[in-house]
Amino acid sequence: MIIEKDVDRILVSKSEIAKRVKELALEMDEFYQGEEVVLVCILKGAVTFFSDLVRSVSFPVQFDFMCVSSYGSGSVSTGDVQIKKDLSVDISGKNVLLVEDILDTGNTMMALIELLKERNPKDIKLCTFLNKPARREQPIEADFCGFDIPDEFVIGYGLDYDERYRQMPYIGVLKREVYE
Ligand code: PRP
């Protein structure tokens, strides 16, 4: 793949991803016990993880998609999110599981979860494939987490730099020279 020349090193390999997705699916199966869940893919970064995950869980699911962006510019995070694409399913009384690619400052998810709680779901949980605890600005943790990672610029498996590299089948660290 031409774009792989920009990868400094592989952080999470294809086989590690596949193994961890299966383990997460088992954790979720155990938790939901066959109840139906609305799985919400947070666009765009979570698309690849979402598509692997939905094929690994055993409980019945509904798919839905949301695209949001955090307002919090500058040094003060406002805790607001802008909804670019909203859910199509009514989540009232339902189990909702948000599927994210990465939990970084936590600003986006903190605000989104507050917003979705107002729609009266039965339950709302968060699954993130990657977690960067060193960057957290909000008191939020994922209920299901693939990997804790160091504070490095990661790409692939859905994650981008300037909309590129999402197609790579593993998580890589981007070479500094590409973004500096
Ligand atoms: C990324 C990621 C989360 C958010 C995490 O989305 O998918 O939604 O940033 O950051 P935070 O914890 O600091 O709020 P991004 O805005 O890059 O959009 P994308 O998924 O379309 O790439």
Side-chain angles (χ1 to χ4, degrees):
M1 222 184 268
I2 291 170
I3 54 174
E4 289 180 308
K5 69 181 187 328
D6 295 340
V7 176
D8 181 60
R9 66 180 200 282
I10 295 176
L11 195 64
V12 190
S13 70
K14 254 174 98 166
S15 60
E16 287 169 324
I17 291 173
K19 179 168 176 275
R20 190 69 189 117
V21 169
K22 294 276 179 295
E23 289 168 358
L24 282 173
L26 287 174
E27 282 178 38
M28 290 171 184
D29 286 348
E30 180 74 17
F31 180 79
Y32 287 112
Q33 294 286 317
E35 282 191 35
E36 187 172 77
V37 180
V38 180
L39 283 187
V40 178
C41 176
I42 309 297
L43 299 170
K44 307 177 192 170
V47 163
T48 320
F49 175 46
F50 182 85
S51 88
D52 280 346
L53 190 64
V54 295
R55 287 175 291 172
S56 301
V57 296
S58 305
F59 49 86
V61 303
Q62 291 182 25
F63 286 13
D64 213 341
F65 300 87
M66 242 186 141
C67 191
V68 295
S69 71
S70 186
Y71 273 138
S73 58
S75 55
V76 182
S77 57
T78 62
D80 284 330
V81 282
Q82 182 187 11
I83 298 182
K84 294 176 173 173
K85 187 228 168 292
D86 206 342
L87 298 174
S88 58
V89 168
D90 175 6
I91 58 169
S92 160
K94 295 185 177 165
N95 295 309
V96 175
L97 177 57
L98 304 177
V99 179
E100 257 291 21
D101 54 343
I102 187 162
L103 189 60
D104 193 335
T105 64
N107 290 328
T108 311
M109 277 306 109
M110 190 77 178
L112 180 61
I113 289 169
E114 285 312 305
L115 185 153
L116 293 178
K117 276 181 180 168
E118 289 170 16
R119 300 183 189 180
N120 301 314
K122 177 181 173 194
D123 181 58
I124 184 158
K125 293 277 183 282
L126 172 62
C127 172
T128 188
F129 184 66
L130 300 177
N131 181 37
K132 267 190 188 174
R135 295 255 310 161
R136 198 76 87 254
E137 294 175 8
Q138 301 289 340
I140 181 172
E141 289 306 327
D143 301 283
F144 304 94
C145 174
F147 297 94
D148 281 353
I149 59 164
D151 185 12
E152 296 195 86
F153 204 124
V154 288
I155 47 168
Y157 197 57
L159 288 100
D160 74 310
Y161 169 62
D162 205 14
E163 295 300 331
R164 289 178 294 151
Y165 310 106
R166 293 191 197 272
Q167 78 209 72
M168 292 187 336
Y170 55 82
I171 299 287
V173 175
L174 186 62
K175 282 184 182 164
R176 279 188 169 273
E177 66 208 47
V178 178
Y179 61 91
E180 278 185 344

